[in-house]
Amino acid sequence: MSTTIYIRDMGLDGPARTRPRLAAVGLWLRRHQRFIRVVQWCIVAIYATLLIVPTLLPLPPLAAHIWNNLTVFAEFVFWGIWWPGVLLSIVLFGRLWCGTMCPEGALSEFASRHGRKRSVPRWIRWSGWPFVAFACTTLYGQMISVYQYPLPALLILGGSTAAAIGIGYMYGNDKRVWCRYLCPVSGVFGLLAKLAPFHYAVDRTAWDACGSQSPAREPFNCAPLVAVRTMESASGCHMCGRCAGFRDAVNLEARSPNAEIVEVSGRSATHWDSLLVIFGMLGIATGAFQWSSSPYFVTIKQALATWLVEHGIIWPLQTSMPWWILTNYPAQSDVMTVLDGTVFLIYVFAVAIAISAIIGACLAAGVLITGRWSAKSFHHLSHALIPLAACGLILGLFSTTVTIITADGFSLSWLSEIRALSIAGTFAWSLWLAARIFHARCGSSARTALATALFAVAMAAPVTAWSFLFWIW
Ligand code: SF4
């Protein structure tokens, strides 16, 4: 059946002929759900293989390469391509990855289809999970060296998948309760999706006007539990296409990447969003990417070690922990002592608090300069930081790609320029968003300019931290 015939089947035959091709892509996705499931199961098989098999092999020797050692290959695929690639894809296409390819979402939905189908309890619906889960997995991942060893990767990724299946089995009916409320990256994905130039637009008038006997009322299952009729944001939508064409009111459409943040975030932004963007993505993530290269980490550790020795407390310098608490690979000369772990946490939190304090103060001042204090406006402004925060995460994750590629003898002479251009471009993008939000608040060019200048000072804090990491240390 051709797409056109299908559109006619959906009751869209009149206007659909002139409908943009993008809407037809959404309808194609709706028609090909079975094909998407096959793709998802193939990815589940690849994911399980790359996650489990390396844990059964000996750790790779120093001379191992991507092309001759499965463990190094799996490390490269997971942390060098998969994660940064998924983040980039969400900025470009929305959460298409979640709806069409994510193995965890597919398994959770499958378990929900065949599980206990209980209603979702209140503790799961707590809005703080995306921030808490992101912060905890970021810190824990660094403490057990998840990017370097197969067992930590199995523990964190496999543990998350097992939890997704368990939650799916217990709660919801053919839904993705895990993805909606608990997935450690759902908060970040939801924020990044706000920048996507594509979304499913809902025409509420057409929705309400659609007759009850219309073929366009064909039911659909929105697995991540989005209230589709009132959907304004792309954050919760997994772009699966199942609602495309429903009531002749839902269509995949192009939009300005600025549109959602400027026009919708003023109503939807919350304090959890501000915490995740400022303290999580720009604070904790920066510290976590930076600590192992930082001379300040070494200075703090030496100072603390000296103090401990002077006071006769030696055990934190000598005690290691099991690999699932702190990195412990003596054969690789890679062991974190209790002191290392403690200094790591001190360092990351110090970086996160310093960056958050500067950003928080500048944003609050910007809000006050452009009108009366409003927490909602502060949270709205934090959304303007999303382009820069996304850039930091993607560049930080690509550092693993760079480490593996350069260790294999490839030269990346253009890397510095790409990093500088990405940071400069997203800095300007965030600044532009902030200027539009400030101007909408006060309408005054002078006050908007002053508040925007303060916003630039706020962004200078994480940019300075990245500059140390990428160019100075
Ligand atoms: S709103 Fe729900 S059903 Fe529609 S595309 Fe998004 S995730 Fe799929």
Side-chain angles (χ1 to χ4, degrees):
M1 191 189 292
S2 74
T3 302
T4 312
I5 294 170
Y6 174 72
I7 290 169
R8 197 173 291 131
D9 286 347
M10 292 295 297
L12 309 176
D13 49 344
R17 290 202 181 129
T18 54
R19 208 168 281 259
R21 285 191 178 178
L22 214 45
V25 172
L27 293 167
W28 186 92
L29 284 172
R30 176 168 175 155
R31 283 181 59 207
H32 291 84
Q33 288 297 311
R34 197 168 290 176
F35 169 72
I36 290 170
R37 286 211 183 139
V38 172
V39 171
Q40 285 170 338
W41 283 111
C42 292
I43 295 175
V44 167
I46 296 168
Y47 173 71
T49 306
L50 292 180
L51 205 52
I52 295 167
V53 175
T55 64
L56 308 174
L57 303 172
L59 285 174
L62 275 178
H65 295 285
I66 300 167
W67 55 86
N68 64 12
N69 185 286
L70 183 68
T71 304
V72 180
F73 175 75
E75 187 187 318
F76 179 65
V77 170
F78 275 132
W79 309 116
I81 300 175
W82 195 313
W83 272 116
V86 166
L87 288 183
L88 197 58
S89 81
I90 286 171
V91 174
L92 296 174
F93 307 111
R95 297 178 69 172
L96 189 65
W97 159 262
C98 301
T100 59
M101 283 175 269
C102 177
E104 213 163 80
L107 287 167
S108 193
E109 190 177 339
F110 178 80
S112 172
R113 199 174 306 134
H114 302 283
R116 307 287 283 272
K117 306 187 192 307
R118 291 186 183 163
S119 58
V120 184
R122 212 165 140 184
W123 69 267
I124 286 185
R125 286 186 272 122
W126 181 52
S127 319
W129 285 126
F131 167 72
V132 172
F134 173 79
C136 290
T137 44
T138 303
L139 294 170
Y140 185 49
Q142 291 291 317
M143 286 165 69
I144 62 173
S145 297
V146 70
Y147 298 153
Q148 283 84 32
Y149 299 103
L151 277 172
L154 178 64
L155 180 63
I156 289 192
L157 296 180
S160 170
T161 304
I165 294 170
I167 292 289
Y169 183 76
M170 293 301 294
Y171 304 110
N173 182 1
D174 212 5
K175 300 295 181 203
R176 294 185 174 202
V177 174
W178 170 262
C179 310
R180 166 70 192 260
Y181 297 106
L182 297 173
C183 170
V185 284
S186 72
V188 171
F189 285 4
L191 291 171
L192 266 53
K194 293 179 188 298
L195 305 174
F198 308 105
H199 74 141
Y200 281 90
V202 183
D203 179 343
R204 278 191 221 171
T205 311
W207 181 294
D208 292 339
C210 182
S212 60
Q213 301 306 314
S214 166
R217 283 183 64 106
E218 185 181 302
F220 66 92
N221 170 35
C222 178
L225 299 148
V226 177
V228 181
R229 180 182 169 275
T230 53
M231 178 169 68
E232 289 187 310
S233 166
S235 288
C237 171
H238 285 197
M239 304 290 278
C240 67
R242 294 178 198 175
C243 62
F246 184 68
R247 290 183 177 229
D248 203 1
V250 187
N251 281 300
L252 184 61
E253 285 183 5
R255 64 175 183 174
S256 158
N258 300 328
E260 183 170 336
I261 289 178
V262 173
E263 290 157 24
V264 179
S265 288
R267 295 188 292 279
S268 64
T270 69
H271 63 286
W272 288 114
D273 293 345
S274 295
L275 261 177
L276 184 54
V277 177
I278 298 171
F279 196 75
M281 294 164 71
L282 290 168
I284 289 178
T286 300
F289 285 133
Q290 206 194 42
W291 70 278
S292 58
S293 312
S294 170
Y296 301 115
F297 174 84
V298 179
T299 306
I300 298 169
K301 188 176 143 182
Q302 281 173 347
L304 211 53
T306 307
W307 187 90
L308 287 168
V309 170
E310 282 171 2
H311 289 77
I313 309 166
I314 306 298
W315 66 266
L317 285 73
Q318 297 172 332
T319 310
S320 56
M321 304 291 259
W323 66 266
W324 43 272
I325 299 178
L326 281 175
T327 304
N328 193 345
Y329 301 89
Q332 275 64 35
S333 306
D334 192 4
V335 177
M336 278 180 97
T337 61
V338 170
L339 177 66
D340 290 320
T342 308
V343 177
F344 160 75
L345 289 173
I346 292 172
Y347 183 87
V348 173
F349 276 106
V351 169
I353 290 168
I355 288 177
S356 303
I358 295 169
I359 294 178
C362 291
L363 264 58
V367 171
L368 287 170
I369 287 167
T370 51
R372 291 179 60 177
W373 169 253
S374 152
K376 199 79 182 165
S377 296
F378 180 93
H379 305 318
H380 187 189
L381 271 174
S382 75
H383 280 198
L385 291 163
I386 294 173
L388 188 77
C391 175
L393 276 188
I394 293 169
L395 289 183
L397 286 170
F398 267 123
S399 293
T400 308
T401 323
V402 171
T403 306
I404 298 172
I405 287 180
T406 48
D408 275 339
F410 293 97
S411 159
L412 299 174
S413 53
W414 38 265
L415 185 64
S416 246
E417 287 79 5
I418 295 287
R419 280 172 168 161
L421 277 174
S422 306
I423 293 171
T426 51
F427 188 99
W429 186 359
S430 284
L431 205 60
W432 167 249
L433 289 170
R436 288 188 63 181
I437 294 169
F438 284 132
H439 195 261
R441 259 177 75 71
C442 70
S444 150
S445 302
R447 284 193 285 157
T448 295
L450 182 57
T452 308
L454 274 170
F455 195 86
V457 173
M459 291 194 292
V463 169
T464 305
W466 301 339
S467 303
F468 276 102
L469 174 64
F470 295 139
W471 292 291
I472 298 172
W473 291 335

